[in-house]
Amino acid sequence: MFHAFVKQRDAFFDNAKYLAIVLVAMGHSWEPLKGDSRVLEGLYTVVYAFHMPAFIIISGYFSRGFDMRPDKLRRLITGVAVPYLVFETAYPLFKRFVDGDPQQEISLLDPWYLTWFLVALFVWRLTTPVWKLVRHPLPLALGIAMLASASPEIGDDLDLQRVLQFLPFFVLGLALRAEHFHLVRRRSVRIASVPVFAAALAVGWWAVPRMNTAWFYRRDAAQELGAPWWAGPVMTLALFGCSLLLTACFFAWVPRRRMWFTALGAGTLYGYLLHGFLIKGGDYLGWFDPRALHTPLGGVLVTVLAAAAVTLLCTPPVRRAFRCVMEPRMAWAFRLDAGELAREREREQERGERRESRESREKVSA
């Protein structure tokens, strides 16, 4: 899902995905604490302005080659739809048993906590051929997001508000090329990003008592947030601009070379879906209740622990343990088409020829 199926992985994108998932986990760990700290609330607002847009842009960039070929569709089902079914069932069950809430329902139509992104990615990727076909995809996607933000009747099924309001970032990723990422990685952009982030933090602190943070979640229409309908399209455009600016600044500081965490970028799906059990479990069991954690030092400790936990969840041992539900092969569920059958026969023939060649060399050497 979050990783590219390519032979040569680009360290920049793996670094970006790892750093983005760390920000996601940190942001979730701040939720139980931010009510006691205006500084933490402001930092939370700034992070939420760009961490998911950055993730979605990368997802769009690596979806450029998606078409309706059977192998691509199978990968979409096994890498996105199946994990959604598994975790959309697992999270409510977790709440039932850990939080002691036997009434918690399991509904595949109502994404729970983190699973909305899998629904969104499934829909976005399926529509990729359409976005590659139309003449002006980004303005069209922005128009759809603006209309959604003023349409409360869309409802909560499959979290379609988020699917539609975050859509422009995915479409932007589809339109980007490698040279666009090189532009934001220039030294001048890195230098300019420092005052930009400083200004964003100041605005975030100022906005704490004045702005509803729910705007950044993009899961509600304007009317559901107590605003007039026209505020939805206006905020959609404003937030898109702010998110894009901060995302560019984030990309500017992502290392381009291989780092100690680069390999973890291939496992961000695991970190994303699994860290939710730690955050929710901590909330259910009262781990965030001690007053010591609601201090500046406590906030730093929780932040470090969240970053360390999501890092461990991206490591190869965890990926091997959960690959059966995150990336199942499910060969039993699919038929091979004529093209794949031909390619499989070619591979079998090549293996046979290599085996015969090896046996011939062994006979000559004997």
Side-chain angles (χ1 to χ4, degrees), residues 336-349:
L336 294 177
D337 62 16
E340 287 178 297
L341 286 171
R343 287 191 291 272
E344 183 61 29
R345 283 195 294 268
E346 289 177 1
R347 286 193 290 267
E348 286 291 338
Q349 184 177 355

Side-chain angles (χ1 to χ4, degrees), residues 172-235:
L172 175 62
L174 289 175
L176 292 177
R177 297 292 179 266
E179 54 267 27
H180 296 128
F181 290 96
H182 288 298
L183 288 175
V184 299
R185 288 150 61 180
R186 293 179 300 178
R187 185 171 182 269
S188 59
V189 180
R190 287 200 300 274
I191 294 173
S193 68
V194 175
V196 170
F197 263 120
L201 290 172
V203 171
W205 182 87
W206 172 87
V208 168
R210 298 175 175 87
M211 182 178 177
N212 188 346
T213 309
W215 283 107
F216 294 94
Y217 302 151
R218 294 175 171 87
R219 66 186 177 199
D220 299 298
Q223 297 92 319
E224 295 171 297
L225 297 177
W229 70 267
W230 54 264
V234 171
M235 287 298 291

Side-chain angles (χ1 to χ4, degrees), residues 290-328:
R291 283 303 309 169
L293 296 182
H294 294 255
T295 63
L297 187 59
V300 171
L301 176 62
V302 169
T303 301
V304 171
L305 290 176
V310 79
T311 297
L312 289 174
L313 293 175
C314 294
T315 56
V318 175
R319 289 160 54 190
R320 284 193 295 270
F322 287 93
R323 184 167 287 131
C324 59
V325 295
M326 300 282 203
E327 301 174 272

Side-chain angles (χ1 to χ4, degrees), residues 28 38-39 44 83 127 195 209 294 306 316 324 327:
H28 287 152
R38 183 171 177 175
V39 172
Y44 176 89
T127 61
H294 294 255
C324 59
E327 301 174 272

Side-chain angles (χ1 to χ4, degrees), residues 47-223:
V47 168
Y48 263 73
F50 75 90
H51 71 343
M52 285 311 297
F55 235 130
I56 295 167
I57 287 172
I58 294 174
S59 297
Y61 179 76
F62 284 111
S63 296
R64 292 173 303 156
F66 182 84
D67 52 30
M68 293 299 178
R69 276 174 37 189
D71 60 325
K72 301 284 182 67
L73 290 173
R74 277 201 302 273
R75 193 174 298 159
L76 181 62
I77 292 170
T78 58
V80 180
V82 171
Y84 173 74
L85 294 175
V86 171
F87 284 87
E88 183 62 12
T89 303
Y91 271 117
L93 289 176
F94 184 73
K95 181 172 175 58
R96 281 188 188 183
F97 293 106
V98 177
D99 195 31
D101 183 7
Q103 304 303 318
Q104 175 64 48
E105 295 183 353
I106 297 174
S107 172
L108 298 181
L109 294 178
D110 186 13
W112 208 84
Y113 196 34
L114 303 172
T115 58
W116 70 268
F117 183 77
L118 297 177
V119 173
L121 186 61
F122 189 87
V123 174
W124 295 333
R125 195 163 283 174
L126 270 183
T127 61
T128 293
V130 175
W131 300 113
K132 292 161 66 175
L133 178 67
V134 299
R135 190 181 295 273
H136 303 293
L138 185 56
L140 178 59
L142 274 170
I144 292 173
M146 292 165 68
L147 289 173
S149 69
S151 305
E153 59 274 9
I154 287 177
D156 297 327
D157 287 352
L158 296 178
D159 245 353
L160 283 179
Q161 279 288 355
R162 275 175 161 166
V163 174
L164 298 176
Q165 290 193 41
F166 275 116
L167 174 64
F169 297 103
F170 182 82
V171 174
L172 175 62
L174 289 175
L176 292 177
R177 297 292 179 266
E179 54 267 27
H180 296 128
F181 290 96
H182 288 298
L183 288 175
V184 299
R185 288 150 61 180
R186 293 179 300 178
R187 185 171 182 269
S188 59
V189 180
R190 287 200 300 274
I191 294 173
S193 68
V194 175
V196 170
F197 263 120
L201 290 172
V203 171
W205 182 87
W206 172 87
V208 168
R210 298 175 175 87
M211 182 178 177
N212 188 346
T213 309
W215 283 107
F216 294 94
Y217 302 151
R218 294 175 171 87
R219 66 186 177 199
D220 299 298
Q223 297 92 319

